[in-house]
Amino acid sequence: MEDHRAGTGMRGRNGILALVAECLDQPPGTERPVTMLVGPRGSGASEAHGAVMGRFGPEHPFAYLNFAADQALLPRYALALIARQLERRLPQYRVSRFPRLTLGLLASDRELRMSDRSQGRRAVQRQLEEFRRQAEDRHGDYLSAFLEVAGSALGAPNGAPAVVAALLRDAAARGGRRLPGRVFAGAPQWFGDHPLVPSRDAWDALLELNMWRHSGSEQEKRILDRVLFAAFLDDLRHDTTRWFAPGSYLLLLDNCHTDQGRLFLELLTGARRDAALTGAVCDPLTVVGSSNRWLENWGSSAGDQWPWQLRGPDRACLADWRERRPAHDSDDSWWYPLRLRDLTLDEVRTGIELASPRHSGLAPFVYRLTRGLPVAVRQVMDVLDLANTPRRGSGEFDLWLRSLPGRRMRRAPHDTLAEAALDHLLEDFPQTQREALVRCAAARDLSMGSRVLGAVTPGGAGESLFNEVRSRWLLEPGHAQPRLHPWLRRLLLWRLAADPGEWDTVHDLMADHFEAEGRPEETMYHRLAAHRVEDVVEQMAGRFRELSAARWIRLFNAVTSAPNRLPADRSPLELLGELAPEAPTHSITDVSVIRGLVCARWLWSDPLGDPGLRLNSVIAAKYDRLSELRGSEIVALYDEAERYRHWRHPLTLADEG
């Protein structure tokens, strides 16, 4: 089977490509944002990086860094690797040069030995020449030495096509060359003129950099990083003024939520802010970063003090960024955060048709189950492509689907789908928090669940658990109540269902809490989840006689969306027959019909309860019967029957703006 990443990863991400194209087309000096792709693990950021590289890499100087690499990527290492890649030879441009950055790195690389600082220029220049010669003898050029200490950060992003991997290899292999002898002619004075360096003499300034690196305080080492970033950006500005030089450069930064990634972004945006405040033109760098966690320098993960509101990628553009950005003196002026949305039903269908045509008819089931999270779609399709999958359309296949989270994966045969998916989404969550999340998933509102059930976490850390989930973008966007992403919640509920006693306990606790608060809808939701079917049927029957038909339907839909732990070894119709056996025609009442309707809709609302939506006709028939028994306000009931009888999956929106 083809790799599903190619089929689903960039669906719905074309707005990112359009934004990058717009930025790259701007003339030098135009201000460009630091675009951040944010979302949970598996939301498609790495695939977006790969797609951007594949689209623009062949014709533009570009660099890619993965901050999730095993090695600590110090800022100086990151800059060297970026410069190394941007020096890649392209037929339409002259080779880019980084004399200021290279000299700054060289001057702060190895400790300069001087018995007397008055030895001055000649001693510094002599030792720097020797350092350079040794690096070139060993590596061919100075920047190539950094491939040895930090080269693991250059691996291709997840899901990148072969052409992207080849581009990255070419950038690393062909980027460098020996430094020209005149590199010391003008670059040293740049450091002497820089406002962060105390020494005005060029060679004293370089010696200052060396001392900061090897014997300076933490503050001085951070100032050194700031100077190196300023040198890098100034090299880019000067390079665009040369004949046949590129007018813009592309920088892709993956997994920026790590300590090294956050520091790099802080230094980069700080250097841009400093340059703007001095009146310098903007550097020609188009930056696209990604993070699956809220960045600490954005403030609280609640976002209430951050000036930015997240946008979807579909309508991203420079005009939108310019309209909404804060002033230059703000630390937030350069950000442009884009929330990677889930795939729509049509995008899931198209991706499956391209990657696994024989399963194209399962797109509605896959979408209902995963809610379009790209990694979840891939994982589900991986299981569906197992060789022993029953023939589609048979009753056996529906039963097979009902146990899908417990099935082994084709690419990871030692893990079930639920295990592999949870490990991916909850990477770095400690076991105590994972166990607490399993319990809290019983609640639709995670903040409520963490308050009512969070005491199981050592130290009563319900609030910290909620904040951790929110900071990793694991809440479903677009809801007033904070809800877990549907795919994550479904996996957690699957794990909770493995302990029936625990399942009933947490749902009873939630029902008791809402009953004490006088919230009948939530109470019935959890009573039904705890399999207190008769209690719920009795209350819904009473409400049927009290409420208008339209209000009753809204209440009914909310209550019957409750999760279940019904056995997966029987078909939906068999389970319905056990839960609500058909009554003789002469004894049919509104209570008996509502019992059947509650149980049928309860099964139907769970994609794993009724994968093939075989209960549509049953629900429609029971609505017809209920309308006959009501006697008034029957139009809403008949309309609902028609909706299920001619079911069409609701449209999903690409962008809420």
Side-chain angles (χ1 to χ4, degrees):
M1 189 201 78
E2 296 180 37
D3 192 337
H4 293 294
R5 290 174 294 197
T8 62
M10 273 305 291
R11 297 287 152 196
R13 307 295 188 260
N14 288 333
I16 299 169
L17 297 176
L19 174 63
V20 172
E22 186 180 10
C23 290
L24 290 173
D25 286 343
Q26 300 302 307
T30 304
E31 293 186 341
R32 301 167 172 87
V34 175
T35 301
M36 290 299 297
L37 311 179
V38 298
R41 285 175 57 80
S43 55
S46 291
E47 289 86 345
H49 284 309
V52 170
M53 261 185 272
R55 175 78 167 270
F56 303 105
E59 297 181 355
H60 293 82
F62 81 93
Y64 168 81
L65 287 183
N66 184 358
F67 285 100
D70 295 335
Q71 294 172 312
L73 196 59
L74 300 177
R76 59 187 297 108
Y77 294 173
L79 288 176
L81 292 178
I82 291 168
R84 178 80 164 95
Q85 295 176 80
L86 294 180
E87 287 183 339
R88 179 171 61 108
R89 293 170 175 82
L90 291 168
Q92 65 271 45
Y93 299 125
R94 66 188 305 166
V95 175
S96 298
R97 299 178 56 199
F98 296 90
R100 296 162 188 79
L101 172 64
T102 304
L103 182 56
L105 291 171
L106 187 64
S108 57
D109 196 341
R110 285 185 281 176
E111 188 171 7
L112 293 172
R113 303 184 182 278
M114 298 184 66
S115 56
D116 183 353
R117 186 161 182 166
S118 64
Q119 295 176 25
R121 169 178 181 153
R122 289 188 177 180
V124 174
Q125 184 171 355
R126 184 173 60 252
Q127 291 186 62
L128 293 184
E129 289 280 12
E130 178 62 20
F131 294 165
R132 182 184 72 165
R133 186 190 61 77
Q134 292 174 4
E136 291 179 348
D137 287 346
R138 182 174 178 180
H139 302 285
D141 65 274
Y142 175 67
L143 291 179
S144 292
F146 290 89
L147 295 173
E148 187 173 300
V149 295
S152 64
L154 297 181
N158 293 333
V163 65
V164 169
L167 282 171
L168 284 170
R169 287 193 300 270
D170 181 60
R174 301 174 56 200
R177 70 210 181 289
R178 292 178 180 269
L179 288 170
R182 64 181 182 278
V183 70
F184 292 136
Q189 190 55 50
W190 183 91
F191 293 94
D193 294 336
H194 197 278
L196 290 176
V197 183
S199 302
R200 297 299 91 190
D201 178 80
W203 299 95
D204 276 351
L206 295 176
L207 187 58
E208 198 88 34
L209 302 186
N210 192 270
M211 292 172 61
W212 285 345
R213 171 87 193 284
H214 296 283
S215 58
S217 64
E218 287 303 313
Q219 181 180 3
E220 288 172 328
K221 290 177 181 177
R222 188 60 63 240
I223 293 174
L224 169 60
D225 289 333
R226 291 177 63 186
V227 172
L228 293 177
F229 270 75
F232 168 66
L233 296 183
D234 217 36
D235 280 334
L236 290 175
R237 291 187 194 94
H238 281 82
D239 203 62
T240 57
T241 64
R242 303 162 67 211
W243 288 102
F244 302 109
S248 57
Y249 300 81
L250 175 62
L251 175 58
L252 303 171
L253 306 170
D254 210 351
N255 292 302
C256 293
H257 54 269
T258 62
D259 292 341
Q260 294 83 13
R262 291 199 304 269
L263 176 58
F264 185 93
L265 288 174
E266 180 183 341
L267 290 165
L268 177 64
T269 55
R272 279 194 167 178
R273 181 197 61 229
D274 293 345
L277 292 177
T278 63
V281 298
C282 186
D283 59 88
L285 198 59
T286 295
V287 184
V288 180
S290 63
S291 174
N292 56 51
R293 294 179 204 168
W294 181 270
L295 299 184
E296 291 179 359
N297 56 344
W298 293 347
S300 165
S301 61
D304 51 0
Q305 296 178 315
W306 203 40
W308 287 100
Q309 289 184 345
L310 299 181
R311 281 283 206 258
D314 300 83
R315 286 185 256 177
C317 63
L318 279 177
D320 179 63
W321 172 67
R322 289 167 180 156
E323 179 183 346
R324 302 165 60 232
R325 65 181 296 206
H328 280 152
D329 56 353
S330 167
D331 290 338
D332 300 307
S333 180
W334 299 97
W335 300 114
Y336 191 23
L338 303 178
R339 174 67 154 90
L340 292 174
R341 62 170 175 80
D342 293 335
L343 306 176
T344 66
L345 171 57
D346 285 342
E347 288 163 352
V348 170
R349 179 182 288 111
T350 302
I352 294 176
E353 287 173 349
L354 291 173
S356 188
R358 68 190 181 102
H359 289 313
S360 59
L362 289 174
F365 166 73
V366 174
Y367 176 78
R368 289 180 71 213
L369 184 65
T370 65
R371 198 58 63 87
L373 184 66
V375 69
V377 175
R378 294 197 300 267
Q379 289 168 329
V380 168
M381 294 308 301
D382 184 81
V383 177
L384 289 172
D385 274 303
L386 285 166
N388 60 351
T389 304
R391 180 178 57 83
R392 186 169 159 253
S394 64
E396 183 185 1
F397 185 62
D398 275 7
L399 281 177
W400 192 90
L401 288 178
R402 295 205 62 223
S403 299
L404 192 68
R407 302 287 177 187
R408 299 287 174 182
M409 299 187 67
R410 185 171 65 92
R411 297 176 188 272
H414 300 296
D415 293 329
T416 65
L417 171 61
E419 291 168 345
L422 279 174
D423 284 345
H424 181 81
L425 289 172
L426 302 180
E427 184 183 57
D428 298 334
F429 274 79
Q431 187 61 30
T432 53
Q433 285 192 332
R434 292 190 182 204
E435 293 170 358
L437 263 181
V438 170
R439 290 171 61 93
C440 292
R444 283 191 289 196
D445 181 339
L446 180 64
S447 62
M448 181 65 71
S450 63
R451 287 199 297 272
V452 177
L453 306 171
V456 298
T457 307
E463 183 176 351
S464 65
L465 174 64
F466 173 78
N467 289 336
E468 190 69 15
V469 170
R470 179 174 60 189
S471 70
R472 300 188 190 215
W473 315 102
L474 291 170
L475 297 177
E476 184 179 15
H479 282 283
Q481 295 178 335
R483 299 184 179 185
L484 286 171
H485 189 281
W487 172 241
L488 174 59
R489 186 181 184 221
R490 203 175 304 286
L491 295 169
L492 293 168
L493 288 171
W494 176 268
R495 181 160 291 180
L496 181 62
D499 187 341
E502 185 80 344
W503 175 286
D504 290 344
T505 296
V506 295
H507 281 290
D508 282 338
L509 284 170
M510 294 300 302
D512 292 344
H513 172 83
F514 287 121
E515 188 171 37
E517 288 195 341
R519 298 170 62 177
E521 176 186 311
E522 297 289 351
T523 302
M524 284 190 282
Y525 175 92
H526 287 286
R527 294 286 185 228
L528 185 59
H531 292 236
R532 311 288 194 259
V533 177
E534 292 305 320
D535 292 346
V536 173
V537 169
E538 181 180 348
Q539 292 187 60
M540 288 302 301
R543 295 303 175 96
F544 183 69
R545 303 180 188 109
E546 299 167 359
L547 301 175
S548 69
R551 287 182 62 194
W552 186 86
I553 290 169
R554 286 195 294 270
L555 175 64
F556 169 80
N557 288 341
V559 170
T560 57
S561 64
N564 70 77
R565 58 170 180 80
L566 296 168
D569 60 351
R570 295 194 282 290
S571 71
L573 289 172
E574 289 175 315
L575 285 171
L576 181 61
E578 296 173 8
L579 291 167
E582 285 289 336
T585 303
H586 65 275
S587 61
I588 289 178
T589 64
D590 57 357
V591 174
S592 65
V593 175
I594 288 172
R595 178 186 294 107
L597 193 56
V598 165
C599 294
R601 178 57 163 65
W602 185 32
L603 279 166
W604 177 94
S605 65
D606 180 0
L608 296 172
D610 185 15
L613 297 179
R614 298 182 185 277
L615 294 176
N616 279 13
S617 58
V618 174
I619 296 172
K622 292 191 180 300
Y623 264 116
D624 285 336
R625 180 60 60 90
L626 198 59
S627 64
E628 295 169 0
L629 294 171
R630 181 160 179 112
S632 63
E633 291 188 340
I634 62 175
V635 173
L637 298 172
Y638 273 124
D639 286 347
E640 202 68 2
E642 284 297 290
R643 192 166 73 91
Y644 284 95
R645 188 172 287 114
H646 304 286
W647 181 260
R648 292 191 64 178
H649 295 281
L651 294 175
T652 51
L653 300 179
D655 184 20
E656 298 294 342

